[in-house]
Amino acid sequence: AQTVTQSQPEMSVQEAETVTLSCTYDTSESNYYLFWYKQPPSRQMILVIRQEAYKQQNATENRFSVNFQKAAKSFSLKISDSQLGDTAMYFCARMNRDDKIIFGKGTRLHILP
Amino acid sequence: DTGVSQDPRHKITKRGQNVTFRCDPISEHNRLYWYRQTLGQGPEFLTYFQNEAQLEKSRLLSDRFSAERPKGSFSTLEIQRTEQGDSAMYLCASSLDPTTLAHKDTQYFGPGTRLTVL
């Protein structure tokens, strides 16, 4: 089965600290997309960052960046200068050529004041 | 751009009843997806449409589930003879139609419909 694994069910960090969320995945394809989605409590899922597998350069979006290791099938998310509004469930996800997104089980992130 | 909308946001029903959910995608998006999310899990793919054509259905989608997108705009998801195991958040997402893998567009999610079957 082609899966996405998030090994950290829950994490807590102090406001302004840097936190890294881990994700590994399995796929037999050479070209695919990877995503991190954020789902705040009782609010809808929004895209945080995306990475095309054929691009070697790691994607960045303001305070959010990824460490994409294609050979290791690893895709971690780093949040710098964390803010209270970053508190949410974070889902790592993969999309292959078939357009279906496969999600991990999520990491619940708490930013503490 | 008003985003993806879903109606209702919450639905409580008794076992055995039929329910129908609606999704309105972002207006220029011709791809529409349905996912189901149970507590503590990530969303799982159910089905998707390109315009009015339903292109794929997951094995998770039993015969009691049916989805339509009659005019290629909004979509409905109907569950017949609901069971307690159907209790979940049903998420809709939309995207532009990609022409190649290199141009795949992001899926934008709606707020979901939370179904509780008593």
Side-chain angles (χ1 to χ4, degrees), chain A residues 40-105:
Chain A
S42 302
R43 295 181 62 186
Q44 67 196 77
M45 193 164 320
I46 58 175
L47 179 70
V48 175
I49 198 166
R50 59 186 260 165
Q51 173 84 40
E52 292 91 339
Y54 62 88
K55 291 186 177 179
Q56 293 187 344
Q57 187 173 8
N58 289 327
T60 62
E61 286 289 341
N62 300 314
R63 298 183 295 109
F64 299 87
S65 61
V66 298
N67 184 5
F68 173 46
Q69 302 290 328
K70 190 172 184 178
K73 295 182 180 174
S74 170
F75 183 61
S76 61
L77 174 69
K78 186 173 79 172
I79 305 174
S80 303
D81 186 27
S82 56
Q83 301 174 359
L84 296 178
D86 295 333
T87 292
M89 279 291 282
Y90 286 81
F91 292 98
C92 178
R94 188 200 77 239
M95 182 167 68
N96 290 352
R97 189 174 295 276
D98 60 9
D99 294 337
K100 291 180 294 188
I101 295 182
I102 307 299
F103 287 87
K105 291 188 175 182

Side-chain angles (χ1 to χ4, degrees), chain A residues 10-56:
Chain A
E10 195 160 2
M11 299 180 71
S12 296
V13 295
Q14 294 293 136
E15 191 176 8
E17 289 186 347
T18 294
V19 59
T20 299
L21 280 58
S22 302
C23 173
T24 59
Y25 59 92
D26 183 23
T27 183
S28 56
E29 299 194 9
S30 59
N31 207 3
Y32 46 90
Y33 276 51
L34 297 166
F35 305 91
W36 279 97
Y37 278 91
K38 168 185 176 181
Q39 190 174 40
S42 302
R43 295 181 62 186
Q44 67 196 77
M45 193 164 320
I46 58 175
L47 179 70
V48 175
I49 198 166
R50 59 186 260 165
Q51 173 84 40
E52 292 91 339
Y54 62 88
K55 291 186 177 179
Q56 293 187 344

